[in-house]
Amino acid sequence: MRVASPYYTRPVFDSLKTLPPDAILGIMTLFRADSNPRKVDLSVGVYQDETGRTPVLECVKRAEREILEVQDTKTYVAIAGNPGFNRGVEELLYGKAHAAVAAGRVATVQAPGGSGGLSVAAHLLARVRPGMKVHMSDPTWPNHSPLLQLAGLTLEQYPYYDYAAHRVKFDAMTAALEKVAAGDSVLLHGCCHNPCGADLTREHWNALAGICERRGIVPFIDIAYQGLAEGLDADAYGVRLMAERLPEVVVVTSCSKNLGLYRERVGAVSVVSKTKAARDLVLANLANVARSIYSMPPDHGAAIAERVLHTPELRSLWDKELTEMRSRLNGLRTLFVKELKKRNVSMDFSFIANERGLFSFLGITKEQVVRLREQFHVYMIESSRINVAGINKANADYVADSIAAVLEG
């Protein structure tokens, strides 16, 4: 017979709190349970092709076959990850001849996805100054907050998106950032802002670089969609400018979207320091943080990305496939606006054609979102954020008809 311990009082896990349901996962569950053949999912957060699949790129398939043919071990890679991948990431982010890279002032560490990169970067900032303030856009990607808070950072918000005018509230944004204290960090979306799709212009980036210089702010750039707005080089304008103008910059990137390596978890954190000596300190601390969180990074996805980035034939194929994805997204935006305009709806949706990436807010009410789901089987998050890639030529008419019916009904 088991004798109860005199010290035992209650199960330790009973103290855990019930968590609110995840908004996106809840919508996905409802969509899967819907048997209507016309159902459309505009909530999912990944790229989809014309058939609704998230495809494996041909350049990835070829690289993977080559790797499997020659790979002879599954032992760990270095804590900092695949060196060739890290060099390739630096070239994507900063270009081939950036002064910061040439001076040896850039430290890059492979991470398990963009989320892993954000976590490593956040813990690095927390080591620099416990409780350091990071100012985030309103709105921002929902996972930014828990990832940064888990590292012990203090989070603030600055105005970013005007929900009524569907544009960046740049005057309000800069007014807020002019009050940010020296040594604080500002989290900026490099391109394809998630969730609103409204990006900073080059003029905006130039002005922000000036503010960061004057006030001693550390830019923290999350660029998870490089290549899906205007192109690989164009989308890196803000990163390259900040690294040119500022002594210290933190950049986190991901290969989930532009290489379609979602489940392989391929990302990186790259830090620009004022001197090479400071860069060496940063690299040692980045590796130590990574060691403390997950020990060693996964190899397979980064090995694929390295091969694509450094093999001319595969790189050329990737450029072609990435251009096709980007053109499809931007073309869908134009098509969607055109279809809505043809229906003479009361709202002006022309802003959607000017935004970039996967996401945009429709700007309709929660009640209208619910009606779209329950009556027309068109699913989106209740904030009215849609994934443009969920639209295709087969469902564009139906989606536009459904939205028109809800707006005018």
Side-chain angles (χ1 to χ4, degrees), residues 51 57-58 65 164 169 173 210 221 283 287 398:
T51 67
L57 300 186
E58 181 60 30
R65 284 195 293 266
K169 296 194 290 189
M173 176 183 177
I221 304 173
L283 182 59
Y398 179 70

Side-chain angles (χ1 to χ4, degrees), residues 48-164:
Q48 295 177 315
D49 64 13
E50 189 64 21
T51 67
R53 297 181 310 111
T54 301
V56 180
L57 300 186
E58 181 60 30
C59 65
V60 167
K61 290 181 180 179
R62 294 185 190 181
E64 193 165 37
R65 284 195 293 266
E66 293 175 10
I67 290 166
L68 293 175
E69 184 66 28
V70 301
Q71 191 174 66
D72 59 3
T73 183
K74 289 292 185 181
T75 191
Y76 296 118
V77 295
I79 295 175
N82 183 316
F85 169 76
N86 291 338
R87 288 194 300 272
V89 164
E90 289 180 357
E91 185 174 312
L92 280 180
L93 292 175
Y94 307 105
K96 291 185 177 180
H98 198 285
V101 177
R105 293 170 40 224
V106 179
T108 302
V109 169
Q110 178 194 331
S115 295
L118 287 165
S119 181
V120 171
H123 279 83
L124 178 74
L125 293 178
R127 284 190 178 189
V128 172
R129 192 201 310 164
M132 182 177 184
K133 279 188 180 180
V134 177
H135 302 258
M136 307 187 306
S137 65
D138 178 18
T140 194
W141 180 48
N143 221 27
H144 276 147
S145 293
L147 282 169
L148 304 191
Q149 285 177 324
L150 194 61
L153 299 177
T154 303
L155 305 184
E156 302 284 348
Q157 282 191 317
Y158 58 83
Y160 184 82
Y161 186 65
D162 187 327
Y163 289 87

Side-chain angles (χ1 to χ4, degrees), residues 371-385:
R371 188 178 167 209
L372 275 170
R373 180 175 73 234
E374 294 182 350
Q375 185 175 344
F376 297 96
H377 309 276
V378 175
Y379 289 76
M380 65 188 69
I381 299 172
E382 291 187 352
S383 64
S384 82
R385 189 215 75 175

Side-chain angles (χ1 to χ4, degrees), residues 1-5:
M1 178 184 295
R2 179 176 295 177
V3 178
S5 166

Side-chain angles (χ1 to χ4, degrees), residues 57-64 66-67 85 88 92 255 258-259 261 301-319 321:
L57 300 186
E58 181 60 30
C59 65
V60 167
K61 290 181 180 179
R62 294 185 190 181
E64 193 165 37
E66 293 175 10
I67 290 166
F85 169 76
L92 280 180
C255 296
N258 55 18
L259 269 163
L261 292 171
I304 292 170
E306 179 207 13
R307 192 163 287 254
V308 171
L309 293 173
H310 294 295
T311 305
E313 180 185 353
L314 294 180
R315 175 58 190 263
S316 178
L317 178 57
W318 178 48
D319 286 339
E321 292 183 287

Side-chain angles (χ1 to χ4, degrees), residues 93-337:
L93 292 175
Y94 307 105
K96 291 185 177 180
H98 198 285
V101 177
R105 293 170 40 224
V106 179
T108 302
V109 169
Q110 178 194 331
S115 295
L118 287 165
S119 181
V120 171
H123 279 83
L124 178 74
L125 293 178
R127 284 190 178 189
V128 172
R129 192 201 310 164
M132 182 177 184
K133 279 188 180 180
V134 177
H135 302 258
M136 307 187 306
S137 65
D138 178 18
T140 194
W141 180 48
N143 221 27
H144 276 147
S145 293
L147 282 169
L148 304 191
Q149 285 177 324
L150 194 61
L153 299 177
T154 303
L155 305 184
E156 302 284 348
Q157 282 191 317
Y158 58 83
Y160 184 82
Y161 186 65
D162 187 327
Y163 289 87
H166 301 287
R167 59 178 175 79
V168 177
K169 296 194 290 189
F170 195 66
D171 289 344
M173 176 183 177
T174 54
L177 296 186
E178 288 285 7
K179 299 174 184 176
V180 170
D184 283 4
S185 184
V186 172
L187 181 61
L188 301 164
H189 294 234
C191 64
C192 302
H193 189 286
N194 180 1
C196 71
D199 281 351
L200 297 166
T201 66
R202 293 193 173 196
E203 290 73 20
H204 290 158
W205 280 108
N206 293 339
L208 291 174
I211 293 173
C212 290
E213 280 181 305
R214 283 197 311 275
R215 301 205 58 81
I217 298 168
V218 179
F220 183 171
I221 304 173
D222 184 358
I223 182 164
Y225 299 85
Q226 186 179 356
L228 287 173
E230 305 296 341
L232 288 168
D233 290 325
D235 293 353
Y237 179 83
V239 170
R240 296 175 187 182
L241 176 71
M242 291 293 189
E244 178 185 317
R245 298 265 300 265
L246 277 295
E248 296 175 314
V249 183
V250 178
V251 185
V252 172
T253 189
S254 167
C255 296
S256 292
K257 289 83 179 176
N258 55 18
L259 269 163
L261 292 171
Y262 295 93
R263 67 173 64 169
E264 301 295 352
R265 310 311 298 137
V266 187
V269 54
S270 186
V271 180
V272 179
S273 300
K274 187 173 183 179
T275 65
K276 187 179 184 303
R279 176 263 183 196
D280 294 342
L281 277 174
V282 167
L283 182 59
N285 275 271
L286 284 173
N288 182 257
V289 167
R291 175 72 166 160
S292 302
I293 300 174
Y294 52 81
S295 187
M296 301 291 182
D299 173 62
H300 190 66
I304 292 170
E306 179 207 13
R307 192 163 287 254
V308 171
L309 293 173
H310 294 295
T311 305
E313 180 185 353
L314 294 180
R315 175 58 190 263
S316 178
L317 178 57
W318 178 48
D319 286 339
K320 176 177 178 291
E321 292 183 287
L322 183 59
T323 297
E324 289 171 354
M325 288 194 292
R326 178 175 65 251
S327 298
R328 179 172 180 274
L329 286 172
N330 292 340
L332 284 173
R333 289 179 173 278
T334 301
L335 172 66
F336 189 43
V337 171

